[in-house]
Amino acid sequence: MLNAVLRDDQDHFPVVLSQASECVQLVFGVDVKEVDPREHSYVLVSTLGLTCDAMLGDGQSMPTNGHLVMLLGVILLEGECATEEKMWEALSVMGVYPGREHCIYGEPRELITNVWVREGHVEYRQVPNSDPPRYELLWGPRDHAETSKLQVLEHLLRVNTRNLSSFLSLSEEVLSDEEEGA
Protein backbone atom coordinates (compact mmCIF):
# COMPACT_ATOMS: atom_id res chain seq x y z
CA MET A 1 0.00 0.00 0.00
CA LEU A 2 2.84 2.33 0.83
CA ASN A 3 4.53 1.95 -2.54
CA ALA A 4 1.45 1.60 -4.72
CA VAL A 5 -0.84 4.21 -3.20
CA LEU A 6 1.11 6.70 -1.13
CA ARG A 7 4.51 6.71 -2.87
CA ASP A 8 5.88 10.12 -1.84
CA ASP A 9 3.45 10.64 1.05
CA GLN A 10 4.27 7.63 3.20
CA ASP A 11 4.17 9.70 6.37
CA HIS A 12 0.38 9.93 5.84
CA PHE A 13 0.00 6.15 6.08
CA PRO A 14 -1.44 6.05 9.63
CA VAL A 15 -4.23 8.49 8.70
CA VAL A 16 -4.99 6.74 5.41
CA LEU A 17 -5.05 3.31 7.07
CA SER A 18 -7.30 4.58 9.86
CA GLN A 19 -9.81 6.09 7.44
CA ALA A 20 -9.73 3.06 5.14
CA SER A 21 -10.22 0.77 8.16
CA GLU A 22 -13.32 2.70 9.20
CA CYS A 23 -14.79 2.33 5.70
CA VAL A 24 -13.96 -1.39 5.58
CA GLN A 25 -15.60 -1.84 8.97
CA LEU A 26 -18.79 -0.07 7.94
CA VAL A 27 -19.19 -1.61 4.49
CA PHE A 28 -17.79 -5.10 4.96
CA GLY A 29 -18.17 -5.65 8.70
CA VAL A 30 -14.53 -6.47 9.34
CA ASP A 31 -11.97 -4.79 11.57
CA VAL A 32 -8.35 -4.23 10.54
CA LYS A 33 -6.07 -5.39 13.38
CA GLU A 34 -2.32 -4.94 13.48
CA VAL A 35 -0.62 -8.29 14.05
CA ASP A 36 3.04 -7.25 14.07
CA PRO A 37 3.92 -3.56 14.51
CA ARG A 38 7.56 -4.11 13.44
CA GLU A 39 6.54 -5.72 10.15
CA HIS A 40 3.39 -3.59 9.76
CA SER A 41 1.30 -6.68 9.07
CA TYR A 42 -2.45 -6.65 9.53
CA VAL A 43 -5.31 -9.12 9.60
CA LEU A 44 -9.03 -8.72 8.94
CA VAL A 45 -11.36 -10.03 11.65
CA SER A 46 -15.13 -10.16 11.72
CA THR A 47 -16.82 -7.25 13.48
CA LEU A 48 -18.32 -8.18 16.86
CA GLY A 49 -17.44 -11.85 16.39
CA LEU A 50 -20.43 -12.43 14.13
CA THR A 51 -20.27 -15.32 11.70
CA CYS A 52 -22.18 -14.77 8.53
CA ASP A 53 -22.59 -17.56 5.98
CA ALA A 54 -24.66 -15.65 3.40
CA MET A 55 -24.19 -16.90 -0.15
CA LEU A 56 -25.25 -15.50 -3.48
CA GLY A 57 -27.47 -17.64 -5.68
CA ASP A 58 -24.46 -18.78 -7.71
CA GLY A 59 -22.66 -20.08 -4.61
CA GLN A 60 -20.30 -17.12 -4.20
CA SER A 61 -19.90 -15.71 -0.72
CA MET A 62 -20.47 -12.03 -0.16
CA PRO A 63 -19.20 -9.68 2.57
CA THR A 64 -22.41 -9.06 4.49
CA ASN A 65 -21.33 -8.54 8.11
CA GLY A 66 -21.42 -4.75 7.79
CA HIS A 67 -24.99 -4.91 6.57
CA LEU A 68 -25.92 -7.36 9.33
CA VAL A 69 -24.41 -5.18 12.07
CA MET A 70 -26.32 -2.14 10.76
CA LEU A 71 -29.56 -4.14 10.70
CA LEU A 72 -28.98 -5.35 14.26
CA GLY A 73 -28.39 -1.74 15.25
CA VAL A 74 -31.65 -0.62 13.66
CA ILE A 75 -33.52 -3.35 15.53
CA LEU A 76 -31.82 -2.34 18.78
CA LEU A 77 -32.56 1.36 18.31
CA GLU A 78 -36.20 0.63 17.54
CA GLY A 79 -36.67 -1.11 20.88
CA GLU A 80 -35.52 -4.61 19.88
CA CYS A 81 -38.20 -4.96 17.22
CA ALA A 82 -38.08 -2.95 13.98
CA THR A 83 -40.81 -2.68 11.40
CA GLU A 84 -39.84 -3.51 7.87
CA GLU A 85 -40.52 0.14 6.94
CA LYS A 86 -38.06 1.43 9.58
CA MET A 87 -35.47 -1.07 8.44
CA TRP A 88 -35.64 0.06 4.79
CA GLU A 89 -35.61 3.70 5.84
CA ALA A 90 -32.40 3.17 7.81
CA LEU A 91 -30.72 0.97 5.19
CA SER A 92 -31.48 3.45 2.40
CA VAL A 93 -28.78 5.66 3.94
CA MET A 94 -26.31 2.95 2.89
CA GLY A 95 -27.81 2.81 -0.60
CA VAL A 96 -29.66 -0.42 0.15
CA TYR A 97 -33.25 -0.58 -1.16
CA PRO A 98 -35.80 -3.41 -1.37
CA GLY A 99 -35.93 -5.08 -4.75
CA ARG A 100 -32.86 -3.24 -6.03
CA GLU A 101 -29.71 -5.29 -6.57
CA HIS A 102 -26.82 -3.92 -4.49
CA CYS A 103 -23.25 -4.26 -5.75
CA ILE A 104 -22.04 -5.69 -2.40
CA TYR A 105 -25.09 -7.23 -0.72
CA GLY A 106 -26.94 -8.55 -3.75
CA GLU A 107 -30.74 -8.47 -3.49
CA PRO A 108 -31.26 -7.21 0.07
CA ARG A 109 -34.82 -8.47 0.62
CA GLU A 110 -33.70 -12.01 -0.25
CA LEU A 111 -30.65 -11.68 2.00
CA ILE A 112 -32.58 -10.36 5.01
CA THR A 113 -35.90 -12.21 4.86
CA ASN A 114 -34.68 -15.57 3.58
CA VAL A 115 -30.94 -16.12 4.00
CA TRP A 116 -30.49 -14.46 7.39
CA VAL A 117 -33.74 -15.94 8.70
CA ARG A 118 -32.58 -19.43 7.63
CA GLU A 119 -29.16 -18.83 9.26
CA GLY A 120 -30.79 -17.66 12.51
CA HIS A 121 -29.51 -14.09 12.36
CA VAL A 122 -32.94 -12.45 12.34
CA GLU A 123 -36.54 -13.32 13.02
CA TYR A 124 -38.97 -12.01 10.41
CA ARG A 125 -42.59 -12.19 11.44
CA GLN A 126 -45.93 -10.73 10.52
CA VAL A 127 -47.25 -8.04 12.85
CA PRO A 128 -50.31 -9.56 14.55
CA ASN A 129 -53.68 -8.38 13.21
CA SER A 130 -52.11 -6.25 10.47
CA ASP A 131 -54.25 -5.85 7.38
CA PRO A 132 -52.66 -5.51 4.90
CA PRO A 133 -49.90 -7.68 6.33
CA ARG A 134 -46.91 -5.80 7.80
CA TYR A 135 -43.70 -7.37 9.00
CA GLU A 136 -41.16 -6.76 11.74
CA LEU A 137 -37.63 -7.96 12.48
CA LEU A 138 -35.98 -9.07 15.70
CA TRP A 139 -32.54 -10.37 16.56
CA GLY A 140 -32.26 -14.07 15.85
CA PRO A 141 -30.88 -16.69 18.25
CA ARG A 142 -27.53 -16.81 16.48
CA ASP A 143 -26.87 -13.10 17.07
CA HIS A 144 -27.93 -13.35 20.70
CA ALA A 145 -25.28 -16.07 21.05
CA GLU A 146 -22.52 -14.38 19.04
CA THR A 147 -22.70 -10.74 20.15
CA SER A 148 -24.38 -8.45 22.64
CA LYS A 149 -26.50 -5.31 22.58
CA LEU A 150 -23.64 -3.41 24.15
CA GLN A 151 -21.18 -4.48 21.43
CA VAL A 152 -23.61 -3.43 18.70
CA LEU A 153 -24.25 -0.11 20.45
CA GLU A 154 -20.50 0.53 20.73
CA HIS A 155 -20.10 -0.26 17.03
CA LEU A 156 -22.91 2.14 16.13
CA LEU A 157 -21.29 4.85 18.22
CA ARG A 158 -17.98 4.38 16.39
CA VAL A 159 -19.65 4.43 12.98
CA ASN A 160 -22.11 7.22 13.64
CA THR A 161 -20.40 9.69 15.98
CA ARG A 162 -22.34 12.57 14.40
CA ASN A 163 -25.61 11.55 16.10
CA LEU A 164 -24.49 10.81 19.64
CA SER A 165 -27.63 12.26 21.22
CA SER A 166 -29.84 9.62 19.59
CA PHE A 167 -27.77 6.89 21.25
CA LEU A 168 -27.35 8.39 24.72
CA SER A 169 -30.84 7.61 25.99
CA LEU A 170 -30.56 4.05 24.70
CA SER A 171 -27.13 3.40 26.21
CA GLU A 172 -28.43 3.46 29.78
CA GLU A 173 -31.17 0.95 28.90
CA VAL A 174 -28.72 -1.35 27.12
CA LEU A 175 -26.26 -1.24 30.00
CA SER A 176 -28.96 -2.19 32.50
CA ASP A 177 -30.17 -5.01 30.20
CA GLU A 178 -26.58 -6.31 29.91
CA GLU A 179 -26.13 -6.22 33.69
CA GLU A 180 -29.41 -8.08 34.24
CA GLY A 181 -28.40 -10.73 31.69
CA ALA A 182 -24.96 -11.23 33.24
Side-chain angles (χ1 to χ4, degrees), residues 14-178:
V15 173
V16 171
L17 180 63
S18 174
Q19 291 177 352
S21 297
E22 287 178 32
C23 291
V24 166
Q25 183 185 51
L26 175 61
V27 175
F28 297 107
V30 293
D31 292 318
V32 178
K33 301 285 185 186
E34 188 170 30
V35 176
D36 185 351
R38 290 181 318 219
E39 296 292 321
H40 301 292
S41 60
Y42 300 85
V43 64
L44 301 176
V45 295
S46 175
T47 299
L48 307 180
L50 291 169
T51 57
C52 199
D53 305 329
M55 300 291 280
L56 291 168
D58 60 2
Q60 295 180 7
S61 66
M62 53 185 174
T64 60
N65 271 4
H67 187 52
L68 177 59
V69 171
M70 294 308 292
L71 176 59
L72 295 176
V74 170
I75 294 169
L76 178 62
L77 292 173
E78 289 297 317
E80 301 185 32
C81 182
T83 65
E84 192 172 18
E85 294 84 11
K86 283 289 188 182
M87 175 195 65
W88 291 121
E89 180 183 316
L91 294 178
S92 69
V93 173
M94 295 174 60
V96 177
Y97 304 96
R100 187 186 305 173
E101 192 79 14
H102 189 274
C103 62
I104 296 171
Y105 307 121
E107 206 296 298
R109 183 179 303 281
E110 167 71 17
L111 176 64
I112 296 166
T113 63
N114 292 326
V115 176
W116 284 346
V117 167
R118 185 175 59 248
E119 292 178 356
H121 284 293
V122 295
E123 291 181 30
Y124 181 72
R125 65 183 186 197
Q126 185 174 345
V127 175
N129 303 318
S130 60
D131 186 24
R134 292 180 34 243
Y135 294 88
E136 59 190 8
L137 294 103
L138 297 90
W139 280 33
R142 185 169 175 175
D143 294 322
H144 282 289
E146 293 180 351
T147 193
S148 71
K149 296 173 192 175
L150 185 57
Q151 287 177 306
V152 170
L153 180 62
E154 288 172 344
H155 176 78
L156 291 175
L157 287 169
R158 281 195 310 264
V159 169
N160 194 2
T161 55
R162 294 181 310 253
N163 274 332
L164 285 178
S165 62
S166 65
F167 296 109
L168 292 179
S169 63
L170 181 64
S171 63
E172 202 170 286
E173 178 185 330
V174 168
L175 286 172
S176 69
D177 285 354
E178 291 291 320

